[in-house]
Amino acid sequence: MSQTAEQIHRSDIGDILENSLNGISPDRDDCLRLLKSNDVHMLGMVSGHLVRKRFGKKASFVNNIILNYTNVCVTDCKFCAFYRPPGAEDSYTLTLDQIESRVKAAWDMFKIRQVLIQGGHNPNLSIEYYEDAFKIIRTKFPAVGVHGLSASEIDMIAKVEKSSTSEVLSRLKESGLQSVPGAGAEILVDSVKDVISPKKISSADWIRIMKEAHEMGLPASATMMYGHVESNNDIIEHFFRIQKLQDQTNGFMAFIPWNFEPNNTLMQEQGLVKYGTGGIQLLKMIAISRLIFDDTIPHIQSSWLTNGVGMAQMALQYGADDFGGTLIGEEVVSCTGARSTELTGKVIADAIGQIGYEAVERDNFYCSVTP
């Protein structure tokens, strides 16, 4: 037995890791043991082996902007420092001209391949606003993918239009929407949502809207926001609800675990969460995500936005294969004062190169592009 195999065998989670190397994914009980284990090093060794087996020593990234088109929101999530109620002095909504101008500047300067469009739940915006915005981007900048609107934003538009979410998705796809980000999931357990986002859509509604998107040919990413009031069992429930939907639709392109940043949020003010969970927990979540989804959701993102470049470099060695996007113009996480929330493609490519990996620029659908 090699030294590494012996180390794995001696680990308190050795049987789970050996199963993973043999193509057997962790079940719920295994997942609980992984979350409780302190053997993050061995967890990372195995998940790192799996990701290199699949992708080699390559890591992808996308040149993109994040278009936070409005901060007007009636959902009042306790974890958000970005939103403003309708009529607030510092509330805003971008005009279509401003949207076009931002995309044009980003295309001219950075040759972006994706616009990530997310904002508040603004009851004053009709579906035509989104349709017109998507048409402008797809018509004038055909190389730029439109990755937009969380399931909860889709639900808000449906309420405004007194329509179904399926009809909303169909109209948005027709106007240029190409894929759906995973925001709004947080933790897919309603007892958690009742604490952190009581006005937001239920877990079942998030799953239903994602299923509708997948079935009409709109692929998506799935996310998990951990590090607040959830338990290990809640995390497990989240993983396996995502897995169940993926087994049905194969519609998720990527999974993105990221830690809650409490600064300037109501959750910190109320004493629910004082601090972020830190880097070791990120590496554990990335590694477990790879073990669970290796055969079903191909891409795991490294989550540099809330953890910084150094931790994202580590994450690439713990099971992640994608660095995420440059996120030029990001405004939501920056409201927490967490850190600088935008990078350039060169900074990301250099960061990937520093750990001996090859950086691969990709498009909205994780296909490599020529810079």
Side-chain angles (χ1 to χ4, degrees), residues 69-70 93 96 121-134 149 153-154 156-162 168 171-172 175:
Y69 60 91
T70 184
T93 298
L96 294 173
H121 299 163
N122 188 336
N124 301 314
L125 294 178
S126 70
I127 193 170
E128 286 81 11
Y129 172 86
Y130 303 94
E131 288 176 319
D132 291 345
F134 296 169
L149 304 182
E153 286 167 274
I154 302 288
M156 185 71 204
I157 298 167
K159 284 183 169 67
V160 169
E161 297 295 328
K162 297 180 173 58
V168 167
R171 285 182 60 175
L172 293 176
S175 62

Side-chain angles (χ1 to χ4, degrees), residues 3 26 28 45 56 69 76 118 128 179-180 187 189 192 203 206-207 221 229 246 261 277 290 297 300 318 346 356 367:
Q3 185 177 359
R28 286 173 181 261
M45 280 189 66
Y69 60 91
D76 308 333
Q118 290 184 315
E128 286 81 11
S179 58
V180 180
I187 295 288
V189 175
V192 175
S203 303
W206 189 93
I207 293 285
S221 48
V229 301
Q246 184 70 346
E261 179 53 63
T277 53
R290 173 57 62 188
I297 302 179
I300 307 291
Y318 274 70
K346 184 181 185 307
C367 299

Side-chain angles (χ1 to χ4, degrees), residues 345-356:
K346 184 181 185 307
V347 170
I348 290 178
D350 288 349
I352 293 169
Q354 284 165 5
I355 60 168

Side-chain angles (χ1 to χ4, degrees), residues 79-300:
F79 59 81
C80 182
F82 170 69
Y83 79 91
R84 297 294 182 270
E89 193 175 325
D90 53 350
S91 65
Y92 74 85
T93 298
L94 298 181
T95 66
L96 294 173
D97 285 345
Q98 287 173 318
I99 289 173
E100 180 179 346
S101 160
R102 290 194 185 190
V103 177
K104 183 180 187 307
W107 171 253
D108 290 344
M109 293 172 66
F110 302 109
K111 288 293 179 283
I112 60 166
R113 301 291 177 163
Q114 181 194 73
V115 181
L116 170 53
I117 302 172
Q118 290 184 315
H121 299 163
N122 188 336
N124 301 314
L125 294 178
S126 70
I127 193 170
E128 286 81 11
Y129 172 86
Y130 303 94
E131 288 176 319
D132 291 345
F134 296 169
K135 284 173 185 170
I136 287 168
I137 296 168
R138 293 299 299 141
T139 302
K140 300 195 173 185
F141 311 98
V144 178
V146 175
H147 182 54
L149 304 182
S150 64
S152 51
E153 286 167 274
I154 302 288
D155 179 74
M156 185 71 204
I157 298 167
K159 284 183 169 67
V160 169
E161 297 295 328
K162 297 180 173 58
S163 175
S164 68
T165 50
S166 181
E167 173 67 18
V168 167
L169 282 164
S170 179
R171 285 182 60 175
L172 293 176
K173 182 185 179 188
E174 184 68 26
S175 62
L177 180 65
Q178 293 178 293
S179 58
V180 180
E186 282 80 64
I187 295 288
L188 292 170
V189 175
D190 287 342
S191 58
V192 175
K193 288 180 172 293
D194 288 345
V195 176
I196 67 174
S197 54
K199 296 183 187 177
K200 220 170 203 175
I201 59 173
S202 68
S203 303
D205 281 336
W206 189 93
I207 293 285
R208 174 184 55 78
I209 293 167
M210 279 296 185
K211 187 176 184 182
E212 290 172 354
H214 296 173
E215 288 177 343
M216 66 178 67
L218 286 168
S221 48
T223 60
M224 175 197 291
M225 183 185 77
Y226 65 89
H228 39 91
V229 301
E230 84 285 354
S231 67
N232 282 339
N233 284 325
D234 295 329
I235 289 174
I236 293 165
E237 180 65 19
H238 183 100
F239 275 133
F240 285 90
R241 291 192 84 164
I242 296 289
Q243 182 71 284
K244 181 179 178 182
L245 181 56
Q246 184 70 346
D247 288 342
Q248 293 170 358
T249 65
N250 198 35
F252 289 120
M253 299 183 289
F255 183 75
I256 310 159
W258 60 280
N259 67 287
F260 168 59
E261 179 53 63
N263 289 341
N264 299 326
T265 67
L266 194 59
M267 288 179 73
Q268 186 181 60
E269 187 181 313
Q270 293 180 346
L272 290 169
V273 185
K274 291 185 178 180
Y275 312 108
T277 53
I280 295 297
Q281 187 67 10
L282 168 73
L283 297 180
K284 183 185 282 191
M285 296 304 289
I286 291 283
I288 294 171
S289 299
R290 173 57 62 188
L291 297 190
I292 291 173
F293 296 126
D294 190 47
D295 288 330
T296 54
I297 302 179
H299 303 291
I300 307 291

